[in-house]
Amino acid sequence: MAVLAVIVVLGIAVGAKQIPLDQVWHGVFHYSGSDTDVVIRDVRFPRTLLGLLVGAALGLAGTVMQGLTRNPLADPGVLGINAGASAAVVTAVSFFGVTSLTGYVWFAFAGAAVVNVAVYVLGGTRGATPVRLALAGTALTAVLIGYINAVNLMDTAALDKMRFWTVGSLASATLPTVTAIAPFLAVGGVLALLIARPLNAIALGDDQARALGARLTRTRVLAMLAVTLLCGGATAACGPIVYVGLMVPHAVRAVTGPDMRWILPYSAVLSPVLLLGADVLGRVVARPGELQVGIVTAVLGGPVFIYLVRRRRMAQL
């Protein structure tokens, strides 16, 4: 929690304009309307708050997906869930003229749900292996990204509106955005935490889980609903951000062990640390401009994904 608090302060203080800590405190708790206070209250505070919510959502979603599929490579980005939500949002903006978050968030949920089911089916349902699921997700992601790029190229107005959103960005965060997605992420987060015990049983295999009294169908339905709410809400708010849900659960598991009752809450706390840290890094390395957070997490997470794949292959030899 101390690390998270430090990252939150850095998220408000660091940017194109450096803001001393005393002014950060003044802007958050003693707003006076000065230019610095406006930057803090209207720009950086909503951005940091959105980063907290989206980071926790992606961390919980990745942890649930890894537990449900028994796939250490599962991640909303790797398995195409974020791409499905993004494709649905692009469709809503380009073909239906939807421009508000409250309008296209429902498209994001639908896209996330459809791809969630499609990856599971293409991966072989009960016979799905981690590699097959990852390949199915990669294939669907490639198709959906091609569709997104094609739509944006044909609709320049949509491209202008979604230029930063399509790579994953917290830059356009506002308090109305935060309040609009917070209820969805809260429900998804509660569902994820409630199924921690049956996910522990599923990790032992379906037969063992049934012997322990786990209701597999109900657990799978609740898990998919939680992932849909978490990924759909997060993607609708700031676009597709990859690898957060892949990296953090692995780091947490190394400390807590395999018990989902510990992994889930720790992932909810540490994932915002990674996301906000990546956002701050993107502002520092490209100053006075900035790299969008989705680009930074992709650069950080790509080598981690390759390492996990190679480690798994070596373990199977």
Side-chain angles (χ1 to χ4, degrees), residues 46 53 66-67 112 139 201 289:
L53 292 177
Q66 290 175 17

Side-chain angles (χ1 to χ4, degrees), residues 12 23-31 37 40-41 45:
I12 299 175
Q23 294 185 29
V24 170
W25 179 270
H26 184 277
V28 173
F29 297 104
H30 305 286
Y31 183 78
D37 286 355
I40 292 171
R41 183 70 67 90
F45 182 72

Side-chain angles (χ1 to χ4, degrees), residues 115-200:
V115 173
N116 201 350
V117 174
V119 167
Y120 193 62
V121 171
L122 291 175
T125 59
R126 292 186 179 182
T129 64
V131 174
R132 289 177 68 180
L133 287 169
L135 289 174
T138 302
L140 281 174
T141 298
V143 172
L144 292 169
I145 288 177
Y147 166 77
I148 292 169
N149 290 336
V151 172
N152 283 335
L153 288 174
M154 291 187 297
D155 187 348
T156 55
L159 176 61
D160 290 338
K161 293 176 185 176
M162 308 182 71
R163 188 181 305 277
F164 294 114
W165 183 90
T166 53
V167 297
S169 174
L170 298 174
S172 60
T174 62
L175 284 179
T177 299
V178 173
T179 56
I181 67 160
F184 301 111
L185 300 187
V187 172
V190 170
L191 286 176
L193 294 172
L194 288 176
I195 59 175
R197 189 181 295 274
L199 284 177
N200 281 336

Side-chain angles (χ1 to χ4, degrees), residues 267-281:
S267 294
V269 173
L270 293 180
S271 293
V273 172
L274 174 60
L275 187 64
L276 289 174
D279 189 41
V280 171
L281 180 62

Side-chain angles (χ1 to χ4, degrees), residues 244-268:
V244 174
L246 174 71
M247 292 186 284
V248 173
H250 280 280
V252 171
R253 199 174 287 114
V255 176
T256 66
D259 192 341
M260 284 289 181
R261 292 174 296 178
W262 289 102
I263 298 174
L264 283 164
Y266 270 82
S267 294

